[in-house]
Amino acid sequence: MDNKEDKIKEMTPSYIAAHFEEKVHADLFKFLKDNNRIDAHVPVCPDVEEAWPEIAREYLADAAREFNQYPVVTLGWIMFVGMAMAQYWDEDWVGYANEKRFYENIREKRGFDNIDDTVLQDILHFEGEAAEKESAVVSECASRVYSMLMREHIEPGTDTALGCLIAALHQMYLAGMATQLKTLGYRMTKMGE
């Protein structure tokens, strides 16, 4: 492939979104590691990761509707969904495994506007200061990712914009999963550390 073909490939929406997702992952997970919300080796949970395509399909309709007026909320709420999924996995994944409407069931409890409360109070059972601290972390992560989206100067309404939004949502979901797994006591450290 010559230099001209490389430059054309770098301009495709899928390439731009994939590159953006790598940048979001690096920034978000460094922030979380620096704030002791995840370990250096991020826990993986294939069951929760495999649920992403269905959750993304369900969530995207709400995200597309809400993003222009509430971009940080739209990014933050999916992190809460990732936390809920990790909690479900820890509690009884066999019981939840056949569920096909995870996101819709979470949203239907109190509505889209209250996904944070639904997850924090009803699923994670956080109250008071613990809930406030968790909300602050999610808010900071969402603000960071939104800032990164804005710095990309992507034209709204394009395939590239949609791809980058989906990439950002995916990384927020994974961050929610990772932080909740650590909260639950899952550690990806060498024995004896």
Side-chain angles (χ1 to χ4, degrees), residues 51 54-59 62 77-78 80-82 84-85 88 93 95-120 122-123:
E54 183 64 23
I55 289 171
R57 186 190 62 73
E58 294 173 356
Y59 190 79
D62 287 336
W77 275 200
I78 199 68
F80 284 116
V81 172
M85 293 298 291
Y88 290 156
W93 189 250
Y96 288 109
N98 292 324
E99 178 64 50
K100 298 296 179 210
R101 297 180 52 231
F102 286 111
Y103 168 68
E104 288 179 9
N105 288 335
I106 292 168
R107 183 193 63 211
E108 287 172 2
K109 290 181 185 206
R110 297 190 194 189
F112 181 82
D113 292 346
N114 298 304
I115 285 177
D116 57 339
D117 293 334
T118 298
V119 172
L120 289 171
D122 301 346
I123 298 170

Side-chain angles (χ1 to χ4, degrees), residues 45-158:
C45 185
D47 293 325
V48 173
E49 291 180 32
E50 288 169 10
W52 168 248
E54 183 64 23
I55 289 171
R57 186 190 62 73
E58 294 173 356
Y59 190 79
L60 204 50
D62 287 336
R65 183 184 67 247
E66 300 289 341
F67 187 79
N68 285 336
Q69 288 188 334
Y70 307 103
V72 175
V73 167
T74 303
L75 292 165
W77 275 200
I78 199 68
M79 187 169 173
F80 284 116
V81 172
M83 292 171 170
M85 293 298 291
Q87 185 71 29
Y88 290 156
W89 178 82
D90 181 66
E91 286 177 1
D92 179 20
W93 189 250
V94 172
Y96 288 109
N98 292 324
E99 178 64 50
K100 298 296 179 210
R101 297 180 52 231
F102 286 111
Y103 168 68
E104 288 179 9
N105 288 335
I106 292 168
R107 183 193 63 211
E108 287 172 2
K109 290 181 185 206
R110 297 190 194 189
F112 181 82
D113 292 346
N114 298 304
I115 285 177
D116 57 339
D117 293 334
T118 298
V119 172
L120 289 171
Q121 296 169 8
D122 301 346
I123 298 170
L124 304 180
H125 308 290
F126 288 171
E127 297 290 335
E129 191 175 320
E132 289 173 17
K133 284 182 180 180
E134 208 65 27
S135 288
V137 169
V138 171
S139 179
E140 178 60 27
C141 288
S143 294
R144 295 173 74 85
V145 172
Y146 179 62
S147 178
M148 291 179 74
L149 271 169
M150 294 299 95
R151 286 193 308 263
E152 292 295 309
H153 302 290
I154 298 166
E155 183 180 347
T158 62

